[in-house]
Amino acid sequence: MGCFQSKTRKQFPGHENPVILASQTAFSVSEVEALFELFKSISSSVIDDGLINKEEFQLAIFKNRKKENLFANRIFDLFDVKRKGVIDFGDFVRSLNVFHPNAPQEDKIDFSFKLYDMDGTGYIERQEVKQMLIALLSESEMRLADETVETILDKTFLEADVNEDGKIDKSEWQNFVSRNPSLMKIMTLPYLRDITTTFPSFVFNSEVDEIAT
Amino acid sequence: RPVTMNAFELISKSQGLNLGCLFEK
């Protein structure tokens, strides 16, 4: 027999104070509250537990929960700061903050380096780049001869691996992206500037008395 | 043509890296 439960507010295990989150990020309090509306919708799409699991994350990106994708997995793992297999609200906001148009470029470069350093060795290695390239080709159902893949890798390392040790370190990456700024486009989400207009319902659910903007 | 691009230019076009989809209702 179940226990009686009065109507309590649904629990969000990592729901940190919006005022504190705003103070740690480029978001205003209103924007953090608008992000909470987005978070609620994603975190309840499969299991309504107030946390985002990998399936929910992929569903939000692809509108298809069965789609496996190396890159979406990789982003999920970086958002899952506490390594619990789920993203709580605090980590969601702090991770998205890196993608804010006003976030420091250094943070964006750092995040992108971690994204591609899949094994966490502190280097982007040739076999990692090859793995990502092959994943991309299979995702887009594009066929390239092995020889062409190797040519692309050769060209990439010729440009990025300045000390020619076969791997790309952080400073080589900083140098490489500064010469190829288009690579950092994925690290900025213009949507984050207008988040309060995208999720206006935050106003009705606000927990903060005076909404600071 | 892919061969004229470096690997990261190709990779950065992956849909899985496009977090903008999170904001599309």
Side-chain angles (χ1 to χ4, degrees):
Chain A
M1 201 162 70
C3 299
F4 173 79
Q5 273 194 315
S6 61
K7 272 191 179 176
T8 50
R9 200 170 192 283
K10 195 158 60 89
Q11 291 302 300
F12 285 87
H15 189 216
E16 296 172 37
N17 184 325
V19 177
I20 294 173
L21 279 173
S23 73
Q24 296 170 343
T25 61
F27 297 114
S28 66
V29 176
S30 299
E31 287 168 336
V32 170
E33 297 204 309
L35 282 174
F36 189 52
E37 297 301 305
L38 171 64
F39 182 84
K40 278 193 289 188
S41 132
I42 300 174
S43 67
S44 62
S45 63
V46 179
I47 306 169
D48 197 1
D49 60 356
L51 296 163
I52 298 177
N53 64 33
K54 197 170 274 186
E55 197 177 354
E56 288 167 332
F57 192 72
Q58 297 202 324
L59 181 61
I61 291 184
F62 299 111
K63 318 298 171 212
N64 175 355
R65 70 170 78 168
K66 296 294 173 216
K67 190 170 166 90
E68 270 291 317
N69 180 283
L70 175 78
F71 303 102
N73 272 345
R74 198 63 207 121
I75 290 188
F76 180 89
D77 290 343
L78 291 178
F79 273 48
D80 174 17
V81 178
K82 300 182 184 76
R83 314 295 300 150
K84 288 183 171 175
V86 285
I87 304 168
D88 64 32
F89 181 60
D91 287 341
F92 182 71
V93 174
R94 279 184 291 267
S95 300
L96 275 181
N97 182 51
V98 176
F99 294 84
H100 193 285
N102 297 342
Q105 188 68 2
E106 267 307 301
D107 293 354
K108 292 175 187 287
I109 294 174
D110 200 50
F111 191 98
S112 66
F113 184 79
K114 284 190 203 147
L115 187 64
Y116 298 137
D117 173 18
M118 292 194 294
D119 299 334
T121 54
Y123 299 98
I124 304 173
E125 288 161 79
R126 187 174 169 116
Q127 53 89 11
E128 288 171 319
V129 184
K130 184 172 183 174
Q131 193 186 338
M132 291 187 277
L133 204 48
I134 288 170
L136 171 73
L137 293 173
S138 108
E139 176 197 325
S140 52
E141 292 174 8
M142 191 159 53
R143 278 170 182 271
L144 284 184
D146 289 350
E147 200 179 298
T148 313
V149 170
E150 294 299 330
T151 308
I152 294 171
L153 289 170
D154 286 346
K155 174 185 159 62
T156 306
F157 277 77
L158 193 66
E159 291 173 7
D161 177 22
V162 178
N163 68 7
E164 297 179 28
D165 63 352
K167 50 196 185 183
I168 301 163
D169 63 29
K170 179 72 82 61
S171 73
E172 286 171 332
W173 180 249
Q174 285 166 332
N175 194 301
F176 184 61
V177 296
S178 73
R179 283 181 282 120
N180 297 274
S182 66
L183 296 182
M184 296 306 290
K185 272 190 199 157
I186 56 162
M187 290 306 305
T188 294
L189 293 169
Y191 300 86
L192 292 175
R193 247 196 240 288
D194 304 316
I195 200 75
T196 53
T197 49
T198 312
F199 299 96
S201 59
F202 81 91
V203 173
F204 305 111
N205 301 321
S206 177
E207 293 167 19
V208 179
D209 294 337
E210 290 288 318
I211 293 178
T213 49
Chain B
R1 281 169 52 87
V3 137
T4 63
M5 302 177 99
N6 68 57
F8 295 104
E9 280 176 275
L10 288 168
I11 289 165
S12 64
K13 295 185 191 310
S14 164
Q15 196 199 346
L17 289 175
N18 180 12
L19 287 184
C21 299
L22 292 177
F23 304 91
E24 288 164 12
K25 292 186 197 171

